[in-house]
Amino acid sequence: MSKIVILGAGISGHVAAAHLRRKLSKEHEVLVVSPNSNYQWIPSNIWVGIGRMKSEEILFPLPPLYKKKNIGYKQALVTTFHPEGDTESASPFVNIKYVNGEQKGNTEKVTYDYLINATGPKLAFDMTEGLNPGTNKAYSVCTYSHAEHAWHALDDLIQQMKQGKKAKILIGTGHAKSTCQGAAFEYILNVEQELRRHNVRDQAEVIWIANEYQLGDFGMDGVLLSYGDNIMKSSEMVEMVFEDRGIKWILGAGVNKIEDGIAHYETLDGEYKSETYDFAMLIPAFSGHGFKAFGKNNEDITEKLFKGFMLVDADYTAKPYEEWSVQDWPETYQNPSYKNIFAPGIAFAPPHAISKPRVRKNGTSISPAPPRTGMPSGITAKLVADNIIDTINGKKDLHHKGSLGNMGAACIASAGYGMTKGSGVSITTYPIVPDYNKYPDTQGRKLGKTFGEIGLAGHWLKLALHYAFIYKAKMKPFWWLIPE
Amino acid sequence: MTQRISKSKRFYMMNPIIQFFKFIWLSIKIMLVVAGGHGGTRKVNN
């Protein structure tokens, strides 16, 4: 009998738990530890942020589902890692702290045979002075509660605009190293459409601010894609959409301070500038959770497990951009020091960025961190689950592999909500991390598998995925037939 | 605001009948990209 402990119940943690439970017999224990008792379908947060969906439509409580499916659950957060056990026992364990219910505040030692760290990122608002959702007129859509808050503020502003107020709306990244430009891209297009729906578009100046060097970088160094019969860069596609929608842009901007209605930023040119706004939605930097790990004699071994995020089978050798290789990226998400620990999804430390790093003369790096989206999170979680199952069943090697350099991803970006008026920018990318050796003439990507489409069908597709993935997450009949 | 998408292209993008078929096409194409498999890179290229 084996005990598999999964830290986190987001896309990655939940996918791993679901597949492990489905494929392992009942003698094996699957236990999820997560401070949030709700599962949320994060890609739909942007629709909560424009008031077109309620939070209840994108989340559901996990404890009843886990009870029904025989998956253990503790509403707690992990505090320390002890992969060698301690002086009392050689069994590896994590310390957890309950965050709710009668046990709130209590700590517990949870032992494991296999550990899946799917704790995702810490939303590091504190890395930008003054950036805190709901203060200084700046908001976030990173969680459903943040998105609800953003909608209330945006709705207030729209009502004021209906009374004649002119407004400036700033959307993008709130730190020089932020990622997740895609979510901000979706949000700015949805907000712009809602302004038109409320007949106040003429009174609003809508501005995109980002740490990208070019539009459409998305933390992936941009993509060269097929668009109809043409081949175009993602920068050209996004520029076309922004110009057509009257959205202005500020690029190469490292936002470093937020005051009430003012975003201060530094540029790659070395200038310090600021932009005023009446409503802002700025994506923060993502960071690791600052976990500590201890050895058998309570010595600090954090560097064997973490480099911000968790260390896995990547090549972390520091090297210049020109020497970066697709082979640097991990394949099995297994920690090299402790073979029974894995970190799929967003929890693993990337070997380096994907976008070309750009640094100011004073040393400030202003360029996007690698994107961390739902699809690779689900795929990597499933392959980790499959490798653990194989190991339990006696296989010695890890056969299931999934490098971001040999994996496709689809980004169905909503560009406006509505069954007849909605729109979407659908982009697929293969591979996510460009392979310049394999595809030297197409900027590291395979054309045909890397394509873009704009139109109403994109909105329908995103809506269909919303319902399909919530169905899958609820583990309803034949849920496993829906791919990650 | 600069019109960058022509009227005919916009009609194509927003026509529900055309877009219904585009939806089917997109669903299949994305499925092929996503479900087309994934793997390592080190043995392939080294």
Side-chain angles (χ1 to χ4, degrees):
Chain A
M1 176 199 147
S2 294
K3 180 178 180 182
I4 303 111
V5 173
I6 299 155
L7 306 175
I11 291 175
S12 191
H14 186 65
V15 163
H19 281 288
L20 284 164
R21 188 67 287 164
R22 187 175 83 85
K23 293 176 180 173
L24 284 175
S25 61
K26 285 186 179 173
E27 62 173 343
H28 301 288
E29 183 182 353
V30 179
L31 173 68
V32 174
V33 176
S34 173
N36 190 344
S37 63
N38 288 322
Y39 178 86
Q40 59 168 323
W41 180 242
I42 293 171
S44 298
N45 279 353
I46 45 125
W47 289 334
V48 176
I50 55 162
R52 301 301 293 268
M53 267 196 182
K54 300 287 180 198
S55 290
E56 302 76 52
E57 293 174 78
I58 69 163
L59 62 85
F60 64 87
L62 286 168
L65 176 69
Y66 284 165
K67 190 176 180 185
K68 185 177 166 189
K69 297 291 179 182
N70 195 30
I71 296 171
Y73 175 66
K74 292 177 189 286
Q75 191 172 356
L77 48 83
V78 65
T79 54
T80 53
F81 291 69
H82 302 261
E84 300 168 0
D86 57 15
T87 49
E88 294 170 13
S89 166
S91 297
F93 67 93
V94 288
N95 276 320
I96 65 166
K97 185 177 182 182
Y98 287 89
V99 297
N100 199 20
E102 290 177 359
Q103 296 200 73
K104 185 176 179 181
N106 292 352
T107 58
E108 185 181 330
K109 186 190 280 191
V110 176
T111 58
Y112 60 82
D113 296 303
Y114 299 92
L115 182 70
I116 299 178
N117 174 20
T119 46
K122 177 189 167 196
L123 301 174
F125 290 102
D126 56 340
M127 287 172 69
T128 305
E129 185 182 343
L131 182 64
N132 187 26
T135 60
N136 294 326
K137 300 192 186 86
Y139 298 86
S140 148
V141 291
C142 293
T143 69
Y144 57 85
S145 55
H146 288 173
E148 266 185 3
H149 208 172
W151 164 238
H152 291 313
L154 182 62
D155 189 33
D156 280 348
L157 185 62
I158 289 172
Q159 299 314 316
Q160 290 173 42
M161 290 164 76
K162 284 180 177 174
Q163 304 301 318
K165 180 184 169 76
K166 300 263 183 192
K168 196 189 270 188
I169 293 172
L170 188 67
I171 295 172
T173 53
H175 187 270
K177 298 293 291 175
S178 292
T179 181
C180 231
Q181 286 78 11
F185 174 68
E186 288 187 88
Y187 194 60
I188 198 169
L189 294 177
N190 274 269
V191 167
E192 196 274 336
Q193 170 147 321
E194 288 305 300
L195 295 175
R196 278 189 279 128
R197 195 168 73 89
H198 289 279
N199 298 315
V200 292
R201 179 65 183 91
D202 292 342
Q203 287 152 255
E205 192 178 355
V206 184
I207 302 170
W208 170 257
I209 186 166
N211 53 359
E212 303 168 303
Y213 182 68
Q214 282 190 313
L215 287 173
D217 182 286
F218 296 132
M220 299 190 298
D221 232 2
V223 290
L224 189 71
L225 45 80
S226 311
Y227 178 65
D229 295 331
N230 302 316
I231 296 170
M232 67 159 63
K233 294 177 181 174
S234 52
S235 56
E236 295 165 333
M237 184 186 236
V238 174
E239 183 179 317
M240 178 179 79
V241 173
F242 275 8
E243 282 198 337
D244 196 67
R245 307 270 287 252
I247 296 170
K248 299 171 183 172
W249 58 85
I250 300 167
L251 297 175
V255 174
N256 52 25
K257 186 178 179 183
I258 300 292
E259 291 181 311
D260 188 21
I262 309 170
H264 299 277
Y265 63 96
E266 49 188 320
T267 69
L268 282 167
D269 302 331
E271 294 180 86
Y272 289 90
K273 294 183 174 179
S274 59
E275 191 67 46
T276 58
Y277 61 83
D278 297 282
F279 172 90
M281 196 296 290
L282 298 170
I283 302 283
F286 288 0
S287 73
H289 292 269
F291 293 128
K292 287 278 185 189
F294 298 94
K296 191 165 183 60
N297 298 309
N298 212 31
E299 71 278 20
D300 192 325
I301 55 164
T302 303
E303 79 287 351
K304 289 173 88 173
L305 275 183
F306 298 102
K307 184 183 175 187
F309 293 95
M310 184 168 260
L311 293 166
V312 292
D313 60 320
D315 181 353
Y316 294 106
T317 313
K319 44 190 167 185
Y321 173 74
E322 291 70 27
E323 293 175 26
W324 288 359
S325 155
V326 73
Q327 283 82 24
D328 299 338
W329 288 78
E331 296 180 334
T332 62
Y333 307 90
Q334 183 184 45
N335 180 261
S337 303
Y338 302 98
K339 303 292 184 189
N340 59 345
I341 299 182
F342 298 82
I346 303 178
F348 77 87
H352 43 65
I354 301 173
S355 295
K356 184 175 181 178
R358 297 175 197 275
V359 183
R360 280 193 63 200
K361 283 177 187 168
N362 71 354
T364 307
S365 175
I366 305 177
S367 54
R372 308 299 197 96
T373 62
M375 186 180 289
S377 294
I379 292 172
T380 54
K382 182 171 184 284
L383 75 88
V384 162
D386 286 336
N387 277 330
I388 289 174
I389 292 164
D390 282 354
T391 310
I392 289 171
N393 291 332
K395 288 188 182 172
K396 291 195 173 166
D397 296 325
L398 303 183
H399 294 282
H400 300 275
K401 294 180 179 177
S403 163
L404 299 192
N406 189 2
M407 183 189 297
C411 173
I412 316 298
S414 173
Y417 192 94
M419 288 307 287
T420 56
K421 305 278 186 192
S423 183
V425 179
S426 312
I427 297 175
T428 64
T429 304
Y430 183 88
I432 299 166
V433 175
D435 189 335
Y436 294 104
N437 290 328
K438 213 167 176 182
Y439 310 109
D441 301 326
T442 48
Q443 297 186 359
R445 306 280 180 5
K446 184 174 185 176
L447 285 181
K449 280 187 165 185
T450 303
F451 69 93
E453 276 294 332
I454 306 172
L456 181 57
H459 172 71
W460 293 344
L461 195 58
K462 185 166 173 93
L463 203 57
L465 292 175
H466 165 91
Y467 290 113
F469 280 108
I470 287 181
Y471 180 94
K472 179 181 171 76
K474 287 182 175 175
M475 299 167 74
K476 291 195 171 182
F478 304 107
W479 61 267
W480 63 88
L481 294 176
I482 301 171
E484 317 310 324
Chain B
M1 208 169 287
T2 308
Q3 186 180 333
R4 289 286 306 272
I5 298 172
S6 66
K7 285 184 179 174
S8 60
K9 185 71 180 169
R10 198 180 304 278
F11 174 80
Y12 174 85
M13 286 175 177
M14 300 308 292
N15 182 288
I17 297 166
I18 296 170
Q19 289 295 308
F20 173 75
F21 292 103
K22 181 64 86 176
F23 173 76
I24 305 285
W25 178 85
L26 264 178
S27 302
I28 294 168
K29 189 146 188 192
I30 287 172
M31 188 72 84
L32 290 174
V33 171
V34 175
H38 48 80
T41 56
R42 291 165 194 162
K43 283 183 183 171
V44 174
N45 287 340
N46 281 343

